[in-house]
Amino acid sequence: MENQYLEIAIKATFKAAKEVMSIYRDGSFDVEMKSDNSPLTRADKAAHLIIKKELEKTGIPILSEEGKHLPYEERKHWNKLWIVDPIDGTKEFIKKTGEFTINIAIVENQKPVMGIVYAPALKLIYWGSRAGSYKLSEISNFADFESNLEEKQRLPLQDQKEAFVIAASKSHLTEATKRFIDRKRDNFSKVEVISKGSSLKICMVAEGTVDCYPRFGTTMEWDTAAGHAICRNADAQIVDQNQNPLIYNKIDLRNTEFLCKN
């Protein structure tokens, strides 16, 4: 059944990506500001509707950033659910950096067990399930994905780094993150900092090209669920300040501050 859900989710991802990239190339984003002062574009809305339509076929409830967030009294009975971010990194989407992703995850008993993170502008897809986590490059659609599956790379990759590598947010670099980086510079002779948008930072930890990604600002469950599933199935982790793994479908959908590390 998990393979079936994975295929449905990957197909949904590519369907949404086709519409998202059409809007991305067109450039008419129709940007609105949400109540939390984060941007929303017509690409976010279109991707949400496409993904929702595809995932509804499974009968599993859906928690999407752009959907209606049902009260915890109803959600608490969901032992399994989809968690979706139609576009993670909307600021990077608007800036046209290419560093935005489509994120789909399955969470069971508050733990992310399956996830897909696709960066359509970069043609890069990551996915993870109990069968392991993988990466494929130069993938534009589902036909590409199917025909290139034999080329998939299992995560983590064997990467020989000469420095301790930290991923940092392009749009949310806080003073606490800067202090964290400074402390690592005290402990390691060479520290490299890579700035990336969206869930790509989490995926880079899962693949082993980055040692850690500290996040000391506010994030939501849909920002991390898919990447977290990829990490969990690639021997990486996302933990809070007490070294406990992040959990999902909580009363409060905000994440605590966390460290993603391998």
Side-chain angles (χ1 to χ4, degrees), residues 106-126:
I106 284 185
V107 165
E108 288 182 3
N109 300 315
Q110 298 194 292
K111 296 176 182 177
V113 296
M114 189 189 87
I116 297 119
V117 172
Y118 179 49
L122 305 179
K123 301 181 181 180
L124 182 61
I125 186 167
Y126 296 88

Side-chain angles (χ1 to χ4, degrees), residues 58-63 78-83:
T58 66
I60 299 171
I62 302 165
L63 177 64
W78 296 355
N79 292 326
K80 179 185 286 188
L81 70 152
W82 295 102
I83 297 186

Side-chain angles (χ1 to χ4, degrees), residues 12-116:
T13 300
F14 285 118
K15 280 191 178 182
K18 183 178 180 181
E19 182 64 21
V20 165
M21 288 307 294
S22 174
I23 295 168
Y24 186 72
R25 286 188 282 263
D26 178 63
S28 55
F29 300 152
D30 299 342
V31 181
E32 305 168 24
M33 298 309 288
K34 295 192 285 190
S35 58
D36 64 356
N37 212 34
S38 63
L40 174 71
T41 71
R42 67 186 182 100
D44 294 87
K45 296 177 184 176
H48 164 73
L49 291 174
I50 291 166
I51 293 168
K52 179 172 176 279
K53 183 179 178 182
E54 295 302 310
L55 298 187
E56 279 177 338
K57 298 172 185 176
T58 66
I60 299 171
I62 302 165
L63 177 64
S64 170
E65 177 175 14
E66 309 311 341
K68 183 181 178 182
H69 302 154
L70 295 175
Y72 181 69
E73 281 305 304
E74 182 168 343
R75 288 190 289 107
K76 71 180 181 181
H77 301 295
W78 296 355
N79 292 326
K80 179 185 286 188
L81 70 152
W82 295 102
I83 297 186
V84 177
D85 194 343
I87 296 182
D88 181 36
T90 301
K91 289 180 180 178
E92 303 306 320
F93 178 86
I94 294 166
K95 293 176 192 172
K96 283 201 162 186
T97 67
E99 293 178 5
F100 60 91
T101 58
I102 296 168
N103 298 357
I104 301 178
I106 284 185
V107 165
E108 288 182 3
N109 300 315
Q110 298 194 292
K111 296 176 182 177
V113 296
M114 189 189 87
I116 297 119

